[in-house]
Amino acid sequence: MSIVPSSPLVGRAPELATLIDAMARPPAVVLVEGEAGIGKTRLVRAALDRLPRGDRAVLLGYCHQIREPFPYGPVFEALRDIRGRLPAAHRLNPVTGALRGHLPELAGALPPSPQPLNDPRAERHRVFRGIRALLTAVGPAVLVIEDLHWADDGTRDLLRFLSGQPPEGLAVVVTRRREEGGPPGPPLGLAYRHQPDTAHLTVRLTPLDVSGVGSLAGALLERSDLPAGFVARLYERTAGIPFVVEEMVRSLPGVEEPDALERAGVPLLLREAMAERMACLSPAAVGAVQAAAVLGLPADEHLIAAVSGDSAGLGEALRAGVLHEHPGGRYGFRHALAQQAVYDAVPGPDRRSAHDRAMTALGAMESPPLVQLAFHARHAGDTAAWIGHGTAAARQAAALGDTALAVEVIEGMLDDPGLPAPARGPLALMLSRLAATGLSHQRVVRLLRHLLRGEFLSGDVRGEVRLNLGLVLSNQAGDVAAGRPEMTAALAELSDRPTLAARGWASLAMPEWGDEPVSEHAGWMARAEALVAAADNPELAAAVLANRASFEMTIGSADAFAVAARLPVADPVTEVRREAARAFCNLHDSATTLGLYGAAERFAREGRRLALETGAQYPAYLVEASTIRREWLTGRWDGLRDRAASLGELATETPLIAVDLWLVLGLLALATGEWEEALKHFHNAGLDAPESRHAPVVAAAAGGLVELHLARGRVDAAVAEAERAVVRLRRKGVWVWGATLVPSAVTAFAAAGRLRAAHDLATEYAGGVAGRVAPAAH
C-alpha cells in the first residue's frame, strides 16, 4: 500500500476564507453543514490553524450519537480547559459561581456558588448566564461544537442563547450533518434570532467535482500527472466525497495498474479500504482499532486497552493515522464512516467478545453510563443485561427530566426484533406513560399501535397502553377523533382494573373536548372519582384530582380554587407531582380564559416549576403556549408575534398544543389587516375541525373570524360563522368560553339588522356566566 501524506484541503478556498474571516472578527455565528465525509471537521481545523496570531482561546466540544443524560455536555466539555485563561475569582461575574457543580475542574477558580433558586427554569437561565459570563471573561475565543445533529435539546437551547447574544469576543462555530433531502430549517430552530451586530453565516460544503477529486488524489499521491481516466473513474466511484476519496487513495496498490480501483474494492463499501490500511498493523494495533470501533465513542487509553485486551497497540494505531487523538485524552476515529467500516469487518464472535469486555469495563465505573451499557449488552448477546441496563437508562433519563432520551431508549428496544416477548409488555407500558407527558408522538403512536396488534400484551397492560395511546392521540397529536375511541376501547379492557379505568373516565370528562353537553362530562367525572375513592393508588388519585381541578376551573366553578389547593405539590413521588404539574398548567389555561390573570400567573409559576422538576414536557410547553394568549389578552404585545412564531416552530409534531399560538397570530394579523394570514391561523387554531379541537380556543378563533368577515364587509359570512359557533357553545353549555365570541356575534347580528337575535344572545350569555368565578373573588 502506498504511503500517503496527511489529507490536504482541496477545493474549499472560498469557504475557508469565509470561515477564517468570521472567526477573526467576532462576534460571529457560523454553521458548517454538509453530508457525512464531506470535510466539515477538516475545514474547521484548517481555519483554526490559519487564524491570525493572537491571544485567542479555542474551545472544542463534541455531540455524540450515544449520549447519556447530561444536558449541555458538549459546551461544558469545551470549557474544561480554560482555567489558565481566567482572571482571579473575585474579578469574575458572581453568576459564574453557578457553574461550580457543572465544571468541577474549575471550581477553585470560580466565585462561590449562589443560593439555589426554587424555580428550575430560573436556575437553568442562571447557568446559561454563567456560561456567557465565563466566555466573556476568557476574552477573544472560538467555541466549536461538532456534530450538532446529535445534540440534546438542552445543548441546542444553550447554543441558541449564546448565539442570540454572543459576548463581544466570541465566535461560535457549529458543524452539522445535512444529508440531501434532509429536514430543512435553522439548526437551532426559528426561535433563534439574528442580532444586527453579529455576523451570521452558513457554510455549505458540497462534493468535489472531477477536477477537485483529481487535485485531492494528486496531492495525496504527490503526483501531478494522474491519468484522466483514473481520475474520472475515481470520481465516479467516490461521488466526490473527500473522505471516501482519501480512504480509497490510501488503499491503492498503484495507479498505473488498469484495475487498481476495482482491486481496491467498491468505494461505497469503505470496509475494504480500511482493511487495506489495517493489514499493515501489528495484531496489538489491530486490536486497539477494533476496540475503538466497538466502543463507538472516543475513549481513554485504559478503556481501549480493557476492550482490546492489550495496551501495546494504541500508539502504533495513532502513528499510522488509523486512530486519532481527541480532546481530553480520548482516542477514536476521525470520522464515523471509518469507525463503521472497521466495526463491520470485525468477525461476529470477536465483536460479541469485545462488547462483553466493554460492558465489564464500563460497568466498573463509579457512575456507569447506562445507555452505553445497554448498547454493548445488546451486541454482546446478553439479553437480560440489555433489558436491565436499557430499562435503568430510561428511568434515569426520565428522573433527570430528559424524557426525550427515555422515550428514544425504549423505542429502540421495542423496535428490536430480538427483544423477548415477555419484556415487551413492561417496556410498552413505560413508553406509553412517558409518551403521555412528552412532546414527540409520531413514531410512538405507530409503535404503540403495532404493539397493540400483537398477542403478547396481557389484558391489563393492553388496556393501560391503549388508554395512554388515546391520551397521546387526543393531546399531542391533536386527533381527538382517533383518541377518544381508543380511550373508550381501553375502558372496556380495564373492566377488572377500576382504579385505572378511573383515569380514562377522568380524561373523557374534560369538557373542552367532544360535542357532548357539560352535564355528561360531569357524570363521567363523578364515575372516575367513585372508582378511585376506594383504591390505594396515589398516582391515579392525583391524576383524577388533577382533572377535577381542571374541570371546575374550565366551567368557571367557584369550587375550582378549593380543589386546586388539594393538589399534591410536595409529594415525594415524581409521578404524583407530575400529575400536579399537569393540573396547574391546565388551571393556568382555564384561568386565562376566565380573565383571572393574577391567578393564572400563579398557576403558571407552579406549573412550570413542577413540570421542569418532573420532566413533564407536554404540560411545560402547554403553559408557555397559553401564556402567549394571556399576554395578548393583557396587552403585552411587544415582540408577541416573534415569541408566538418561535414557540410554534417547536410544535411541528404536536399541533394541538400550539392552538393558542395560532389564535394569537391570527388576532395579530387581523389587527394589522393581513386578512389571508389571519384566516390561515384561525383555521389552524381549530376552525379546520371545530368538533375535535380545544373548544375554548375554537370559540375565540370563531370570534376572530367573525371580526375578520366584518372588517372585510362580508356581513352574511360573519353571521353564518357566528351562528355556527353559537350553536356549538350552546350545545356544550359553558358560556364562560364566549368572552371573545359573543361580543363579535352580537355585533354581526346587529350589523345584519337582526336586533332581536343580538339582544337574545347577549341576554343568554349574561345569564350563562352569572355566578361564575369573578376576578375580584380571588
Side-chain angles (χ1 to χ4, degrees):
M1 183 179 68
S2 305
I3 298 176
V4 188
S6 298
S7 172
L9 190 68
V10 170
R12 306 297 191 202
E15 294 90 346
L16 181 62
T18 297
L19 187 53
I20 293 172
D21 183 65
M23 288 179 173
R25 294 163 58 180
V29 179
V30 186
L31 167 67
V32 180
E33 66 177 13
E35 64 183 294
I38 205 67
K40 300 180 291 294
T41 297
R42 180 75 183 87
L43 178 71
V44 172
R45 296 298 185 273
L48 291 172
D49 289 343
R50 292 166 173 79
L51 272 178
R53 298 294 180 184
D55 187 23
R56 180 183 287 103
V58 176
L59 312 173
L60 302 174
Y62 301 84
C63 307
H64 298 298
Q65 187 173 16
I66 304 175
R67 68 175 183 90
E68 301 295 331
F70 179 40
Y72 327 130
V75 176
F76 284 130
E77 177 185 40
L79 292 173
R80 284 174 178 156
D81 298 325
I82 64 172
R83 185 186 184 100
R85 302 184 61 89
L86 292 176
H90 70 275
R91 295 175 55 197
L92 284 170
N93 187 322
V95 76
T96 58
L99 306 180
R100 276 176 165 260
H102 299 279
L103 292 168
E105 301 88 344
L106 303 182
L110 297 175
S113 299
Q115 289 295 318
L117 301 173
N118 293 328
D119 185 350
R121 188 181 183 86
E123 190 73 58
R124 183 177 93 145
H125 185 66
R126 186 162 66 179
V127 169
F128 283 15
R129 289 174 50 225
I131 292 173
R132 188 179 187 280
L134 197 65
L135 288 167
T136 300
V138 168
V142 179
L143 173 63
V144 178
I145 302 297
E146 293 267 24
D147 296 322
L148 185 68
H149 47 277
W150 286 328
D152 60 274
D153 292 341
T155 297
R156 289 179 183 272
D157 290 343
L158 173 55
L159 289 173
R160 183 162 58 234
F161 176 85
L162 293 174
S163 300
Q165 293 181 314
E168 185 177 345
L170 181 67
V172 179
V173 179
V174 295
T175 68
R176 177 178 73 148
R177 183 179 297 177
R178 178 80 176 272
E179 308 293 354
E180 281 299 318
L188 299 178
L190 293 182
Y192 168 54
R193 290 290 179 265
H194 295 179
Q195 296 300 314
D197 57 348
T198 302
H200 300 270
L201 305 169
T202 298
V203 177
R204 292 186 176 89
L205 299 182
T206 57
L208 300 174
D209 58 15
V210 175
S211 175
V213 168
S215 298
L216 177 57
L220 291 168
L221 294 169
E222 299 182 325
R223 291 186 53 170
S224 59
D225 59 343
L226 291 177
F230 169 83
V231 172
R233 187 64 172 155
L234 182 61
Y235 172 77
E236 179 185 335
R237 290 299 189 94
T238 62
I241 299 173
F243 177 69
V244 182
V245 173
E246 179 181 344
E247 297 305 318
M248 284 301 306
V249 169
R250 290 183 184 279
S251 68
L252 288 176
V255 299
E256 303 301 338
E257 302 176 39
D259 60 346
L261 285 171
E262 283 70 15
R263 288 197 297 108
V266 179
L268 295 178
L269 302 178
L270 197 56
R271 61 181 69 92
E272 277 84 356
M274 292 301 294
E276 288 287 341
R277 296 184 65 187
M278 291 180 65
C280 297
L281 300 178
S282 68
V286 169
V289 174
Q290 292 179 339
V294 167
L295 287 166
L297 302 176
D300 62 31
E301 182 177 355
H302 299 293
L303 187 55
I304 290 176
V307 176
S308 69
D310 191 334
S311 60
L314 180 58
E316 180 185 345
L318 291 167
R319 288 189 295 273
V322 180
L323 294 182
H324 297 260
E325 184 170 1
H326 293 255
R330 296 171 302 145
Y331 306 95
F333 293 87
R334 184 172 67 84
H335 196 283
L337 291 175
Q339 179 266 331
Q340 188 63 48
V342 173
Y343 181 84
D344 290 345
V346 179
D350 294 345
R351 279 203 307 269
R352 286 191 291 275
S353 297
H355 280 296
D356 190 65
R357 292 191 295 272
M359 190 167 51
T360 301
L362 292 169
M365 293 182 173
E366 184 176 347
S367 298
L370 295 173
V371 178
Q372 294 179 55
L373 281 168
F375 169 80
H376 291 296
R378 174 66 182 97
H379 289 83
D382 190 337
T383 303
W386 170 40
I387 295 170
H389 290 312
T391 304
R395 286 176 177 156
Q396 181 192 62
L400 292 174
D402 197 345
T403 306
L405 177 60
V407 169
E408 179 183 321
V409 169
I410 300 173
E411 278 183 336
M413 297 175 71
L414 285 170
D415 216 22
D416 193 315
L419 185 70
R424 291 183 174 270
L427 286 173
L429 194 55
M430 187 186 300
L431 175 65
S432 72
R433 289 171 174 171
L434 287 169
T437 61
L439 289 179
S440 177
H441 74 273
Q442 291 182 346
R443 185 164 178 260
V444 171
V445 166
R446 288 194 296 270
L447 186 54
L448 291 180
R449 280 176 164 161
H450 173 73
L451 293 170
L452 287 168
R453 286 195 295 268
E455 300 296 330
F456 56 84
L457 295 181
S458 62
D460 55 348
V461 169
R462 179 182 299 278
E464 185 172 355
V465 169
R466 193 184 301 281
L467 176 61
N468 288 327
L469 171 61
L471 291 171
V472 171
L473 285 167
S474 298
N475 295 332
Q476 286 89 328
D479 191 355
V480 177
R484 286 169 69 90
E486 293 289 356
M487 285 192 279
T488 303
L491 290 170
E493 293 174 327
L494 293 170
S495 58
D496 59 344
R497 296 186 68 188
T499 55
L500 187 55
R503 183 195 290 269
W505 288 116
S507 298
L508 288 174
M510 301 312 293
E512 308 99 301
W513 309 110
D515 57 2
E516 303 87 356
V518 70
S519 57
E520 191 165 345
H521 290 277
W524 291 336
M525 180 60 71
R527 185 169 183 174
E529 290 172 325
L531 287 172
V532 82
D536 182 19
N537 189 320
E539 182 184 350
L540 287 175
V544 173
L545 179 61
N547 281 29
R548 168 57 79 177
S550 303
F551 178 89
E552 297 295 338
M553 188 64 73
T554 296
I555 65 173
S557 168
D559 296 331
F561 289 92
V563 178
R566 293 161 44 203
L567 290 166
V569 296
D571 196 280
V573 179
T574 298
E575 289 76 11
V576 172
R577 295 199 313 282
R578 190 175 289 155
E579 296 296 343
R582 179 174 62 83
F584 277 107
C585 294
N586 288 340
L587 287 168
H588 167 258
D589 183 73
S590 297
T592 296
T593 298
L594 295 173
L596 306 179
Y597 303 128
E601 287 195 48
R602 295 194 297 275
F603 291 142
R605 285 195 296 271
E606 189 70 351
R608 286 190 185 101
R609 180 184 71 80
L610 289 168
L612 292 171
E613 180 183 296
T614 60
Q617 292 175 305
Y618 176 75
Y621 187 95
L622 181 65
V623 78
E624 296 306 322
S626 53
T627 294
I628 295 291
R629 180 158 58 99
R630 176 162 53 82
E631 290 179 344
W632 159 266
L633 291 167
T634 53
R636 303 173 188 173
W637 292 14
D638 187 29
L640 189 59
R641 186 192 296 266
D642 286 342
R643 293 199 301 279
S646 298
L647 273 175
E649 167 65 16
L650 301 177
T652 54
E653 284 196 8
T654 51
L656 184 62
I657 57 178
V659 291
D660 290 276
L661 308 175
W662 309 137
L663 171 64
V664 170
L665 288 170
L667 293 170
L668 286 167
L670 174 61
T672 55
E674 301 170 77
W675 310 132
E676 295 306 319
E677 189 77 5
L679 182 63
K680 179 187 72 173
H681 289 313
F682 288 146
H683 277 275
N684 288 339
L687 293 181
D688 57 340
E691 308 298 341
S692 300
R693 300 290 187 255
H694 190 257
V697 173
V698 170
L705 184 55
V706 170
E707 293 288 347
L708 173 60
H709 287 318
L710 290 174
R712 302 176 82 173
R714 300 176 179 176
V715 176
D716 290 345
V719 169
E721 180 59 36
E723 288 177 331
R724 284 192 294 268
V726 168
V727 166
R728 291 193 298 268
L729 194 61
R730 189 175 286 127
R731 183 171 58 232
K732 184 61 72 172
V734 187
W735 285 99
V736 289
W737 299 345
T740 301
L741 166 64
V742 172
S744 300
V746 168
T747 302
F749 291 148
R754 296 173 55 180
L755 300 183
R756 171 56 65 181
H759 175 271
D760 290 347
L761 176 59
T763 302
E764 188 176 10
Y765 173 69
V769 300
R772 294 302 180 182
V773 174
H778 300 282

